[in-house]
Amino acid sequence: MGIIGYDDIGQAVAKLADAYGMNVVVLQCNPTQSMYDLYVKKIYDSDEINALMSQSDYIVITIPLMEDTCDLIGDNVLSHAKEGAALINVGRGTIIEEYAMMKGATEMFMDKNLP
């Protein structure tokens, strides 16, 4: 599980994920704060978001909405996600670029063989 934003909510998610036996990787702007965290297998710096996306089956977004996090998750970042990865946003909606989210959802439904 990849967690983008390792604040109180991110830490609670990591604790639960660890209890279910998941490997937890996090994206944090100050990685040294979580160096000794028992639940985290790897800490990525904020410029390594694509690496986190490429190795996570579940991606949980917990970062707050700020000027530099608005539209943080766009086409480029989503293109690095594993096929079939689940994206869970418990932060503000505009952290994910609206067009990229709609494009991804459309592609997902178009790829399914619906009756």
Side-chain angles (χ1 to χ4, degrees), residues 22-99:
M22 295 178 163
N23 289 323
V24 176
V25 296
V26 300
L27 184 80
Q28 186 174 19
C29 55
N30 188 357
T32 56
Q33 288 181 336
S34 300
M35 273 180 24
Y36 303 107
D37 192 303
L38 299 175
Y39 306 116
V40 177
K41 303 294 183 220
K42 182 156 179 67
I43 304 166
Y44 290 105
D45 201 352
S46 57
D47 63 345
E48 299 176 296
I49 192 168
N50 293 339
L52 178 138
M53 297 292 284
S54 68
Q55 73 174 55
S56 302
D57 294 317
Y58 300 93
I59 301 146
V60 181
I61 302 169
T62 66
I63 55 176
L65 179 62
M66 298 183 295
E67 189 174 318
D68 59 338
T69 62
C70 186
D71 293 336
L72 175 71
I73 311 294
D75 261 346
N76 182 41
V77 173
L78 289 175
S79 71
H80 287 87
K82 282 176 131 180
E83 186 172 333
L87 184 64
I88 304 159
N89 185 13
V90 296
R92 299 287 181 151
T94 54
I95 292 170
I96 303 173
E97 187 180 276
E98 187 175 338
Y99 175 76

